[in-house]
Amino acid sequence: MSLSKDLENLKYVKDVFSQLAAGRHIDASADAEWWNALQGEYKDDYAILFKHLGKKLEIDPRGFAYFNFDEDANQKAAQQVALLFLLILDKKYADGADLLRFTSWNLDPVFFAELREKNKELLVQEKLDSDEAWNRVVHKAETLGFINKDDSCYTMMLPCWRFIDLYQELSDGEAEDTAVDNDANEDSEDFVEEDYV
């Protein structure tokens, strides 16, 4: 079969490639046609073609796809977007929200104002305290397909599972560190009691 014939079967390849190459995520709910194409009969053909173009397609069964960039030229921007979502998740968790229902959260201006106030010192350290810097990161998150804006409110999209995973991994690591510290404290207390009893 010829290359042109093969490409006919991949009718969304140009659109999907341009979106993924720009760092955007394909979301099963927001980009249903593209998602179905990546999951359909020609899914292996998409992956092979992208591999030949130097890109590794990652498809998460929770409903999103992206290119896995080893070294992103925009590393600082990526770190800032990750920080934004970790702060959102931390606040929502502290407020008692179910992290697994993140797509139903309404992130309105009041929420963002509270988030910024709560994390003021950290945002100063990260140079995200100005309105301009903050809005640039929020816009980047929207451009990458992590959030969707409706009027003045945002909703988190399926690709945010990546941040949920990271948040849970960090929380688990923190819990392990606390357990190790507690064990070390108990051991030192036993040691002190043995020496002085």
Side-chain angles (χ1 to χ4, degrees):
M1 193 175 275
S2 70
L3 179 60
S4 61
K5 186 67 175 167
D6 288 341
L7 289 177
E8 284 178 19
N9 295 329
L10 309 179
K11 71 179 196 175
Y12 298 110
V13 72
K14 288 180 184 176
D15 294 330
V16 170
F17 183 82
S18 68
Q19 293 297 312
L20 293 173
R24 189 174 180 279
H25 289 70
I26 302 297
D27 183 299
S29 59
D31 308 306
E33 285 188 69
W34 294 348
W35 173 257
N36 290 335
L38 292 175
Q39 289 291 295
E41 179 181 352
Y42 301 107
K43 67 181 179 182
D44 292 337
D45 296 332
Y46 277 99
I48 290 167
L49 177 61
F50 294 153
K51 183 177 179 183
H52 286 296
L53 295 171
K55 306 293 183 189
K56 183 177 180 196
L57 178 64
E58 298 284 349
I59 297 180
D60 192 291
R62 294 173 290 190
F64 62 94
Y66 59 99
F67 280 157
N68 189 355
F69 298 102
D70 292 331
E71 282 301 319
D72 188 1
N74 298 317
Q75 191 67 23
K76 184 68 173 171
Q79 290 171 345
Q80 290 175 336
V81 169
L83 176 62
L84 168 68
F85 283 100
L86 292 177
L87 294 177
I88 291 170
L89 294 173
D90 196 51
K91 179 168 177 11
K92 283 293 193 177
Y93 180 78
D95 291 346
D98 182 353
L99 296 184
L100 302 181
R101 295 185 172 272
F102 65 89
T103 57
S104 65
W105 297 346
N106 187 24
L107 307 178
D108 61 15
V110 172
F111 173 83
F112 279 123
E114 291 172 358
L115 183 69
R116 290 177 71 181
E117 182 61 33
K118 178 183 176 190
N119 297 286
K120 188 185 296 186
E121 289 179 27
L122 177 60
L123 294 175
V124 168
Q125 290 173 4
E126 296 296 322
K127 296 181 175 56
L128 292 173
D129 54 318
S130 73
D131 289 341
E132 181 183 348
W134 178 263
N135 291 335
R136 187 173 50 248
V137 171
V138 171
H139 178 71
K140 183 71 170 175
E142 184 180 11
T143 301
L144 295 174
F146 289 114
I147 55 177
N148 187 41
K149 186 174 185 180
D150 186 21
D151 292 324
S152 63
C153 298
Y154 291 90
T155 53
M156 294 171 63
M157 305 301 286
L158 293 174
C160 287
W161 276 113
R162 295 178 71 185
F163 298 115
I164 297 285
D165 293 343
L166 177 60
Y167 184 80
Q168 290 177 331
E169 185 180 308
L170 292 171
S171 296
D172 291 346
E174 191 174 292
E176 288 175 16
D177 290 345
T178 302
V180 168
D181 288 345
N182 289 340
D183 288 346
N185 288 338
E186 289 174 14
D187 291 345
S188 66
E189 287 171 9
D190 292 344
F191 178 74
V192 170
E193 287 175 11
E194 289 171 7
D195 280 355
Y196 296 105
V197 173

